[in-house]
Amino acid sequence: MTNSGDFRRYSYQSDAAYALKAFDVSRSSAAPAYAPKRQKDLKVRHNNTRKSKAQLAKEQRAALIKAVCIMFTALAFLGMFFGVLHTYALKNELTHEISDLQTELSVAQSENTRINSELNSLVSMSMIDQYAVDKLGMSKVQSNQIRYIDVSQFKEERKAAALMLLEQTEAEKAENENK
């Protein structure tokens, strides 16, 4: 028997005699023989006692009840399985609907941003000035065109005109009553 850590293995590598010792037949690598244990033979016992019809009917009813219970249990499990499957399908549909609505919302928001920027560009002061000069033929106000009005004088004139109008309407009413 050789040891895997044997120093001779490395020192005599070129020696053919040593290489032949590696094929030592005294050492077997085959698996040990395995003899399975014999199991006991099954014996069939014959039941010579006969059951009455009442006992047979009772056993049949018990077997039928067990079969019905098993069927109802299987149906309940199938119902739950298809219920869960249905809820997953609904969840999937709703998820797709939410995704579609979010896509529509993002498209609408980007359209809103585009329209607002277009509106801002149209309403800017430079665009208004350009439109007034180019399209309407207007010119910018110069300092000699500015006139200041005394508001207190305007209020007094307006008050006097209103009193005069009130007196005229009262006079016309008096004439209409006299007629």
Side-chain angles (χ1 to χ4, degrees), residues 1-3 22 24-30:
M1 239 165 82
T2 60
N3 188 0
D24 189 13
V25 290
S26 64
R27 187 180 74 175
S28 173
S29 63

Side-chain angles (χ1 to χ4, degrees), residues 1 6 24 56 122 135:
M1 239 165 82
D6 194 0
D24 189 13
L56 288 175
L122 291 175
K135 301 283 182 179

Side-chain angles (χ1 to χ4, degrees), residues 47-71:
N47 189 0
N48 293 333
T49 59
R50 297 178 68 103
K51 294 183 180 179
S52 66
K53 286 187 180 186
Q55 286 176 331
L56 288 175
K58 186 178 178 183
E59 286 179 4
Q60 285 178 348
R61 264 188 258 119
L64 181 65
I65 289 172
K66 284 182 181 180
V68 168
C69 286
I70 290 171
M71 281 182 33

